[in-house]
Amino acid sequence: MAKEMIAMILAGGQGSRLYALTQKLAKPAVPFGGKYRIIDFPLSNCVNSDIDTVGILTQYQPLVLNEYIGNGQPWDLDRLHGGVHVLPPYQQASGSDWYKGTANAIYQNISFIDRYDPQYVIILSGDQICKQDYSDFLRFHKEKNAEFSVAVMEVPWSEASRFGLMVTDNDDRINEFQEKPKDPKSNLASMGIYIFNWDILKQYLIADEADPESENDFGKNVIPALLKDGRRMYAYRFSGYWKDVGTITSLWQANMEVLDPSHSGINLFDENWKIYSRNSGQPCQQISADADIINSMVTEGCKINGTVKNSILFPGVVVEKGATVEAAVVMGGTVVKAGATVAHCIVAENVTVEEGATVGKMPEDGLNIAEPGDVATVGSGVKIGKGAVVGPKAMVSNDVKDGEEQW
């Protein structure tokens, strides 16, 4: 069964500018953001974009990366037809083995791509932190009737000379490519993410391999050859979060930006575009400057802006600014809103405690938190309305209206 589009992730980079971090592992396997590795981002983008066939081209120190990818199950890529495949270079009858360049890496895997007979191939980098909808990119490629499209980002003109730049007309058709020029004619920087019509790409890869002068590189050889032949080439403008983490400084900066999602644009708590990881489906817990946490267990995916004392919080619990949770067991996905108090109780999964509500009450002598006394209980999925009161002996399994009391 033919696939509409498959993805090829170039993950063979040595990452020499990351020095000590990549002495024993490939750059895409470098840890990021508390519980991820860089490769999680293109893989998660593929899954979220409904691409179910992915080839990962490895080369340098692939062991950790191979082990991490495994059968692709954490990213829902353990498929019978398709799925994720790690593709190291291999000795062929002709004698070629190491991938000589980005284009040669794809060339050596023509037979893998042909197995799925795709209309389109998207080529991705395994060393970028980026959240991107590739299905939107493909829609653009089709609308333009393009043979090649490249994702680009507008960069400040003062920095443009550091990038490979796409010079376009008013319809975003590419008419020139500048590689790190002294005098930039454009500020549209290539992100190194390409969509090709497979028949066109295959033709140019074979021609490129046959050229003894070629460096077998997309930027230096294949893209200029497409331009020279007047192919239909378009620049897809991307405006989301993208960072090439090829240096120590950029890797550090991207990690710091995780702490400030409202300004940086990288939100690891986004339920609509999850970043999947072998280390389970929740991001790390996030503790704000307003949080006050004492003697508690706060699990992954929690967002704490209020006060938490002597409590156990399961994955994904939210405690808003001004809210208090004390001597409580709060199960996964529950939200305690601003000004609410949750004390000496068990709150089940996916409960919403609205603003100013009270659930449970600390015992008068409340010195020994392990002495049960009266423990309020709220069942799963219940909504406790604004200003509502759930007494210390209450067992609540239905919604409590705004201002209502249950004892």
Side-chain angles (χ1 to χ4, degrees):
M1 189 176 71
K3 301 281 185 183
E4 183 180 32
M5 182 162 77
I6 72 169
M8 301 293 277
I9 302 178
L10 297 166
Q14 184 170 344
S16 54
R17 291 178 300 165
L18 292 177
Y19 307 106
L21 299 180
T22 48
Q23 297 247 297
K24 295 178 181 173
L25 76 170
K27 185 159 62 167
V30 169
F32 177 83
K35 63 174 299 179
Y36 304 97
R37 294 184 186 268
I38 295 170
I39 193 73
D40 286 331
F41 287 80
L43 278 177
S44 298
N45 288 341
C46 285
V47 175
N48 290 329
S49 304
D50 296 321
I51 298 171
D52 65 5
T53 306
V54 183
I56 301 179
L57 286 70
T58 61
Q59 180 152 289
Y60 171 80
Q61 293 280 20
L63 195 61
V64 172
L65 190 60
N66 293 1
E67 198 175 65
Y68 184 73
I69 299 300
N71 68 352
Q73 184 268 328
W75 305 271
D76 192 29
L77 287 169
D78 51 337
R79 307 294 178 92
L80 283 174
H81 182 62
V84 66
H85 300 262
V86 176
L87 304 168
Y90 54 91
Q91 191 82 36
Q92 298 175 346
S94 61
S96 174
D97 49 359
W98 285 101
Y99 294 146
K100 294 180 286 184
T102 51
N104 173 258
I106 304 295
Y107 170 82
Q108 285 200 37
N109 289 284
I110 283 176
S111 59
F112 170 81
I113 299 172
D114 271 341
R115 190 192 310 173
Y116 298 101
D117 189 25
Q119 264 183 284
Y120 309 101
V121 175
I122 185 166
I123 294 170
L124 307 169
S125 167
D127 49 19
Q128 297 174 349
I129 303 298
C130 177
K131 291 173 75 175
Q132 182 176 2
D133 185 348
Y134 303 142
S135 57
D136 189 62
F137 187 9
L138 178 61
R139 180 193 52 74
F140 169 89
H141 182 84
K142 290 177 181 173
E143 282 177 0
K144 297 295 187 185
N145 194 25
E147 295 170 310
F148 164 86
S149 296
V150 55
V152 297
M153 280 197 85
E154 287 191 28
V155 296
W157 279 94
S158 57
E159 295 178 27
S161 57
R162 293 175 36 223
F163 297 92
L165 303 171
M166 298 294 164
V167 184
T168 65
D169 64 15
N170 291 335
D171 191 37
D172 291 323
R173 183 162 181 170
I174 299 164
N175 48 44
E176 191 179 340
F177 173 57
Q178 293 185 297
E179 181 63 54
K180 298 182 180 176
K182 280 184 180 159
D183 299 309
K185 297 181 186 175
S186 163
N187 68 335
L188 297 178
S190 167
M191 295 164 61
I193 297 175
Y194 315 122
I195 291 180
F196 283 92
N197 293 5
W198 172 227
D199 56 348
I200 298 293
L201 175 57
K202 186 175 178 179
Q203 174 189 327
Y204 277 81
L205 289 175
I206 292 168
D208 180 70
E209 191 64 24
D211 178 2
E213 301 297 310
S214 176
E215 294 179 56
N216 308 122
D217 183 84
F218 279 110
K220 293 175 184 169
N221 308 107
V222 175
I223 293 173
L226 289 161
L227 266 170
K228 183 164 147 288
D229 293 349
R231 292 292 181 180
R232 293 184 60 80
M233 304 168 67
Y234 284 84
Y236 168 76
R237 295 167 185 256
F238 176 68
S239 57
Y241 184 88
W242 173 72
K243 192 164 233 108
D244 187 322
V245 286
T247 66
I248 293 290
T249 305
S250 61
L251 180 62
W252 175 86
Q253 188 177 19
N255 274 279
M256 291 300 105
E257 285 170 344
V258 166
L259 300 176
D260 189 16
S262 58
H263 289 99
S264 69
I266 179 166
N267 179 11
L268 298 182
F269 289 84
D270 184 356
E271 285 295 314
N272 298 317
W273 199 270
K274 284 187 177 178
I275 302 301
Y276 299 92
S277 157
R278 185 161 287 287
N279 304 323
S280 99
Q282 289 273 8
C284 295
Q285 62 267 57
Q286 187 180 43
I287 313 297
S288 82
D290 298 309
D292 182 14
I293 301 175
I294 298 168
N295 188 38
S296 296
M297 294 181 72
V298 178
T299 324
E300 60 195 2
C302 290
K303 298 177 81 169
I304 312 299
N305 294 289
T307 299
V308 178
K309 296 179 181 177
N310 302 321
S311 293
I312 295 190
L313 272 51
F314 284 67
V317 168
V318 175
V319 180
E320 292 188 353
K321 186 175 179 180
T324 300
V325 175
E326 184 172 5
V329 176
V330 184
M331 297 183 184
T334 285
V335 177
V336 183
K337 296 202 171 177
T341 300
V342 172
H344 211 266
C345 60
I346 295 176
V347 180
E349 294 176 310
N350 302 313
V351 169
T352 302
V353 182
E354 292 286 359
E355 295 174 8
T358 300
V359 176
K361 185 182 178 187
M362 291 299 292
E364 296 300 327
D365 57 1
L367 298 175
N368 186 352
I369 62 163
E371 286 295 325
D374 295 322
V375 177
T377 309
V378 179
S380 64
V382 167
K383 179 179 174 182
I384 308 295
K386 290 184 180 179
V389 175
V390 173
K393 296 183 180 179
M395 179 83 63
V396 176
S397 53
N398 296 308
D399 291 354
V400 180
K401 295 176 183 172
D402 293 356
E404 190 181 334
E405 296 188 7
Q406 289 207 9
W407 295 87

